[in-house]
Amino acid sequence: MDALSGLLESPKARGAFLLKSVFNPPWGLRIEDRAPLSLAIMLHGSAWVLREGADPVRIAAGDVAVLRGPEPYTLVDDPSTSPGITVDSDQRCNTTAGEDVTETMSLGVRTWGEPRRAGSTVMLSGTYQAPNEVGRRLLACLPALLVQPASAARTPLTGMLAVEMDREDIGQEVVLDRLLDLLLINVLRSWLMEPGTGAPLWFRAQSDPVVGRALQLLHERFSESWTVASLAASVGISRAALARRFTELVGEPPMSYLTGWRLTLASELLRDPGLSIAGIAQRVGYSGPFALSTAFKRERGVSPQQFRQGKRSQETPASGSDGRTVILRR
């Protein structure tokens, strides 16, 4: 698996929070759920995304906005509107007066807000509720706000998600999770392939004849006992030259990159209860469960067993590279 495939494979929602919201202007939501990543898809009308220290960004009908947490942000009908409702970490909705309106504003299956009338704003939202559902490497390189205009989407996924959210069929949660993943992947592909949008260093480094080959080897043969010297010999360059060139183009040394990739793979494998931690350690290139546990706890803040049990509150959420806003070409 190459670096790009590995990145795009990482979004795997598990019971994502999905909701269709209906509002009549003026309206405003303050999002303080501390979720690692959310998508906002405008079906009708428009909204403004307000973030501290950044210019307001308008999202129109058909646009898809990817919002990286855990920092709060605000969605309003107009930048001058003050949000009247706050969404907390349990996805509960409270007015500025402290009234819980989570249930009282319910409009049916996965639909919430105000009774619809002409000119209403209709927005779909999908929220990944834990960092491991997205992948730390992806979260670390995403801009704070990524917007794919309707004209750049070229996909029926938005319409499919809207239809499925109104249903309560068998296995509906799984269907919605996978549609959300595919919609996110579609936006990510556009972002990575469009020049000048700030794609991560390692993505651009793949085109380098030396570092690109080194990345390919680390991804395809991650379980081998690599050293900088053996990797350098495999790509036909000196150890010092590879270390310098790799770090310059990728942003971290080769062995640090390999550790991150191995732990990403381990995180995926830990979702399978049929695999032992010892077996996972061997598969991803560690000498045994103790070595994997040491590396995992150092990087993730929890042991592999705690991670498997869902004890991720100790884990420091991955922070994005900066507070950039990226709007893809229309």
Side-chain angles (χ1 to χ4, degrees):
M1 182 187 298
D2 60 27
L4 177 57
S5 297
L7 187 80
L8 294 181
E9 189 190 38
S10 59
K12 287 187 173 66
R14 295 291 186 274
F17 183 78
L18 288 118
L19 191 68
K20 179 190 294 182
S21 300
V22 181
F23 297 112
N24 300 304
W27 62 269
L29 291 176
R30 176 67 173 172
I31 312 298
E32 298 182 353
D33 60 3
R34 296 194 60 78
L37 198 70
S38 296
L39 274 69
I41 307 107
M42 302 306 300
L43 294 186
H44 188 266
S46 63
W48 288 85
V49 181
L50 309 181
R51 296 177 296 120
E52 186 175 353
D55 293 333
V57 174
R58 183 176 181 269
I59 49 177
D63 293 354
V64 179
V66 178
L67 299 124
R68 193 199 70 222
E71 291 77 14
Y73 56 91
T74 300
L75 295 168
V76 289
D77 70 303
D78 186 270
S80 63
T81 301
S82 297
I85 294 175
T86 298
V87 181
D88 67 18
S89 58
D90 295 319
Q91 300 298 339
R92 305 295 298 184
C93 302
N94 298 278
T95 67
T96 52
E99 178 187 1
D100 188 331
V101 292
T102 309
E103 276 78 37
T104 58
M105 291 183 67
S106 175
L107 298 175
V109 178
R110 299 185 190 87
T111 306
W112 183 88
E114 303 167 315
R116 187 170 182 179
R117 64 174 190 244
S120 296
T121 299
V122 182
M123 177 178 66
L124 302 183
S125 57
T127 302
Y128 291 84
Q129 302 188 81
N132 73 294
E133 295 177 18
V134 185
R136 290 175 62 88
R137 186 171 290 274
L138 173 56
L139 286 174
C141 68
L142 273 174
L145 174 62
L146 176 61
V147 179
Q148 182 186 57
S151 58
R154 298 186 297 276
T155 175
L157 290 169
T158 298
M160 293 171 64
L161 182 63
V163 170
E164 292 292 339
M165 282 179 64
D166 290 334
R167 295 179 176 174
E168 283 283 40
D169 296 339
I170 295 174
Q172 198 65 23
E173 183 177 284
V174 175
V175 172
L176 292 173
D177 281 348
R178 296 294 76 78
L179 283 174
L180 182 64
D181 289 342
L182 288 171
L183 188 58
L184 174 59
I185 289 169
N186 182 65
V187 178
L188 294 177
R189 286 198 305 180
S190 298
W191 169 57
L192 289 168
M193 299 306 295
E194 185 171 311
T197 57
L201 291 175
W202 58 260
F203 179 75
R204 298 197 296 271
Q206 291 181 107
S207 61
D208 183 85
V210 173
V211 176
R213 175 58 179 157
L215 282 168
Q216 183 180 5
L217 288 171
L218 293 179
H219 275 260
E220 293 179 352
R221 294 158 53 183
F222 52 83
S223 63
E224 293 189 18
S225 301
W226 289 109
T227 63
V228 178
S230 64
L231 185 62
S234 297
V235 297
I237 195 172
S238 72
R239 178 184 182 280
L242 175 65
R244 182 176 60 255
R245 191 163 173 175
F246 193 103
T247 303
E248 178 183 344
L249 295 181
V250 178
E252 61 182 319
M255 295 303 101
S256 174
Y257 183 90
L258 177 60
T259 296
W261 178 232
R262 283 173 170 171
L263 295 182
T264 295
L265 295 173
S267 299
E268 295 294 325
L269 294 172
L270 284 166
R271 293 172 175 170
D272 185 345
L275 296 176
S276 68
I277 293 178
I280 292 171
Q282 184 177 27
R283 186 179 296 191
V284 300
Y286 285 93
S287 59
F290 180 77
L292 172 62
S293 182
T294 299
F296 203 96
K297 194 162 187 176
R298 181 178 63 246
E299 296 293 325
R300 304 298 176 91
V302 292
S303 69
Q305 187 62 41
Q306 289 173 318
F307 183 89
R308 170 171 273 176
Q309 294 170 350
K311 296 178 181 178
R312 301 179 183 109
S313 59
Q314 304 170 47
E315 182 182 359
T316 302
S319 297
S321 56
D322 53 44
R324 289 177 299 128
T325 294
V326 174
I327 300 178
L328 302 176
R329 287 182 294 188
R330 298 182 180 271

